[in-house]
Amino acid sequence: EPEVTQTPSHQVTQMGQEVILRCVPISNHLYFYWYRQILGQKVEFLVSFYNNEISEKSEIFDDQFSVERPDGSNFTLKIRSTKLEDSAMYFCASSERQVYQPQHFGDGTRLSIL
Amino acid sequence: AQKVTQAQTEISVVEKEDVTLDCVYETRDTTYYLFWYKQPPSGELVFLIRRNSFDEQNEISGRYSWNFQKSTSSFNFTITASQVVDSAVYFCALSPENSGGYQKVTFGIGTKLQVIP
């Protein structure tokens, strides 16, 4: 069964550094998402992306965050200047055109900011 | 605004017992989708079920069953004859139907289920 893949599985970065988290969504999916889960807390929506633009973003998704689909397969989340509180598991998800289809999540990237 | 409440933060059961995980939601949308996801200790999110707000039929899949009651805004999840492999955090989630096609899923805080052998 096709799946969403995320790399790396664990990223350790110094505070203030830029980090890019990578995702390869399922190939025929058109909607892409990023979610964040701080350790022990709930999964929170960050951003949705369709047709090369952001559809919606949450309050968490401030100017330090950006998303990009640089080619036909990758979907990236960039954090420009990381803070300690950015430490979390970041999940990428994708879904088909029809809204009733569920989002398929990747296995997540654990981001640790030192 | 949407909200998903999972009042049970942790549940422990002995293997083979049945267990029900509660989920109550709030939304102003007339059409929406409800989901359950499982997060095992390895951390990934595993999709279990999606339910449309117009479809109040209960669903059974093996040892899993779901009870959707629109009148009480609840979407409870029952595991029958629990097994150790069911130990995980279970998230209930809600997404409005969106004419733009994308989904903004709101998750509950999760219920950590521990099945003791």
Side-chain angles (χ1 to χ4, degrees), chain A residues 11-29:
Chain A
Q11 173 80 46
V12 181
T13 300
Q14 292 287 335
M15 187 172 62
Q17 295 292 309
E18 175 184 285
V19 66
I20 297 176
L21 309 183
R22 302 180 192 281
C23 169
V24 178
I26 295 174
S27 61
N28 64 332
H29 286 187

Side-chain angles (χ1 to χ4, degrees), chain A residues 29 33 94-104, chain B residues 33 35 37 47 50 101 103:
Chain A
H29 286 187
Y33 312 84
S94 67
S95 63
E96 296 180 53
R97 174 64 181 91
Q98 292 82 4
V99 71
Y100 55 83
Q101 294 299 322
Q103 293 179 19
H104 293 258
Chain B
Y33 296 86
F35 307 86
Y37 284 89
F47 166 76
R50 176 203 72 242
Q103 302 168 17

Side-chain angles (χ1 to χ4, degrees), chain B residues 5-83:
Chain B
T5 301
Q6 295 180 256
Q8 306 147 307
T9 50
E10 286 195 45
I11 301 176
S12 289
V13 298
V14 177
E15 203 171 17
K16 295 195 177 72
E17 284 184 348
D18 299 347
V19 58
T20 295
L21 310 182
D22 297 333
C23 173
V24 174
Y25 62 90
E26 295 174 32
T27 179
R28 292 199 192 100
D29 296 287
T30 53
T31 306
Y32 49 90
Y33 296 86
L34 295 162
F35 307 86
W36 277 94
Y37 284 89
K38 174 182 179 180
Q39 187 175 45
S42 47
E44 71 271 25
L45 285 169
V46 179
F47 166 76
L48 295 178
I49 188 173
R50 176 203 72 242
R51 174 63 70 215
N52 181 300
S53 55
F54 288 121
D55 181 3
E56 290 194 66
Q57 275 194 332
N58 292 329
E59 180 155 340
I60 297 175
S61 176
R63 296 185 297 106
Y64 295 170
S65 62
W66 291 270
N67 183 339
F68 176 30
Q69 302 237 345
K70 205 168 178 180
S71 59
T72 56
S73 298
S74 65
F75 186 44
N76 296 337
F77 172 31
T78 297
I79 302 174
T80 304
S82 58
Q83 300 175 1

